Amino acid sequence: MTDTSVSTTSHIGVTGANGYIGEALTKALEQSGRASVVRLVRQPVRSDDVAFDLGTVPDSAVIASVDTVVHLAWDTQSRSEAAVSRCVDGSIRLASHVLGAGKRFVFVSTMSAEGGQPSRYSTSKLLVERHVLDNGGTVVRPGLVIGSPPVGLWRLLSAAGRFPFVPVPAGARIFIVRLEALLEDLVRLTLDGHPPQHTVAKSVLLADLVQSAPNSRARTFAVPITIVRFGMKAVALVGPARSLADSLQGILGTPIHSHRQTGIYPVVSELT
């Protein structure tokens, strides 16, 4: 008997594949048994890594070899104008090449683009979102990624939870997403084209999130927004702290519920 089955293997390019989410997504896709992953990274560390930098023109041969590109690469350490412009311009250039070649493009943005107080990070992501949507791509907006070990802002909030008293902006809220939920939805979207499922959770109070951190013993107390804004201006003058100040700016005014928009998928989780 002749086997007439058709291979269902998808060829997925993942930018930022050696980052926190990128590594986890690459592993999840490979473990599905349905995907061949092309790891697109700035600094190749594995023999199968492919060099990719947001400051360069994408390799047309690499784009031709994949069905879908999941774009995660972004400079999250710097909020300088030059670094932000490089991320925005490089992302738009990549999206144009991928979508122009008739391939699928999934841009992983951020829930801080939901319309709270604008930050440099959220507004730069919005610029790329608009280009991706206008050209037929898909946008996924994850909340703050909660995983183990904690990284980024979640690492800082977890560390704060070890102090007995922690000041937080009064009423400040934030959207979160469990890493496993984000991976599940990205795999679902990438391999099957199915919309993410974790899209209806509310934002959580920042104070509650700090207290929920592993081994937290903190008691939080509210600080008026005006004082927080003044403090952020001072902190933003210090180079290494600019990213933290920018992240806090994005948190202030975060809505309780996500807004539904065509082509944009929020991916969020409950606190417990």
Side-chain angles (χ1 to χ4, degrees):
M1 181 180 295
T2 302
D3 184 2
T4 59
S5 63
V6 178
S7 173
T8 59
T9 299
S10 297
H11 300 280
I12 312 296
V14 178
T15 71
N18 55 4
Y20 181 66
I21 299 175
E23 284 276 15
L25 176 60
T26 297
K27 183 177 180 180
L29 286 168
E30 291 174 339
Q31 288 181 340
S32 73
R34 301 170 51 202
S36 172
V37 181
V38 178
R39 294 167 45 91
L40 303 169
V41 299
R42 185 173 57 186
Q43 296 179 327
V45 294
R46 295 186 356 180
S47 60
D48 57 344
D49 285 349
V50 175
F52 167 77
D53 190 285
L54 284 170
T56 62
V57 177
D59 188 325
S60 57
V62 173
I63 293 176
S65 70
V66 300
D67 308 309
T68 302
V69 170
V70 180
H71 181 39
L72 287 158
W74 199 271
D75 185 352
T76 59
Q77 301 304 310
S78 175
R79 296 295 195 269
S80 71
E81 185 175 346
V84 170
S85 294
R86 180 173 168 275
C87 288
V88 171
D89 294 344
S91 297
I92 288 176
R93 183 167 49 242
L94 175 65
S96 295
H97 278 73
V98 172
L99 293 168
K103 307 305 177 78
R104 296 174 64 219
F105 189 83
V106 178
F107 175 51
V108 181
S109 183
T110 172
M111 279 298 288
S112 67
E114 272 289 302
Q117 295 296 322
S119 65
R120 177 165 282 187
Y121 180 65
S122 62
T123 53
S124 61
K125 290 276 190 174
L126 276 169
L127 289 173
V128 180
E129 284 187 10
R130 293 187 186 115
H131 178 82
V132 170
L133 294 172
D134 287 346
N135 289 275
T138 301
V139 172
V140 172
R141 285 180 176 173
L144 174 68
V145 178
I146 306 298
S148 182
V151 298
L153 181 59
W154 177 228
R155 179 175 63 83
L156 294 176
L157 293 175
S158 296
R162 301 190 190 101
F163 291 91
F165 299 100
V166 179
V168 295
R173 306 185 70 90
I174 187 170
F175 288 102
I176 65 170
V177 62
R178 304 290 174 184
L179 178 60
E180 58 270 21
L182 175 60
L183 296 177
E184 179 184 336
D185 277 348
L186 284 175
V187 170
R188 171 186 171 88
L189 176 65
T190 303
L191 296 185
D192 301 312
H194 294 160
Q197 295 179 308
H198 302 87
T199 61
V200 296
K202 298 187 300 183
S203 60
V204 303
L205 287 169
L206 187 60
D208 291 344
L209 181 60
V210 171
Q211 293 175 330
S212 75
N215 303 314
S216 175
R217 60 190 183 93
R219 290 186 178 183
T220 61
F221 60 92
V223 178
I225 296 294
T226 53
I227 294 179
V228 174
R229 292 191 192 284
F230 177 80
M232 286 194 303
K233 288 181 180 179
V235 168
L237 297 176
V238 183
R242 287 175 182 165
S243 293
L244 173 60
D246 193 60
S247 295
L248 287 174
Q249 181 68 24
I251 290 171
L252 297 180
T254 295
I256 295 178
H257 297 282
S258 61
H259 303 116
R260 295 192 176 275
Q261 302 177 53
T262 303
I264 298 178
Y265 299 106
V267 182
V268 289
S269 299
E270 301 287 353
L271 184 58
T272 55

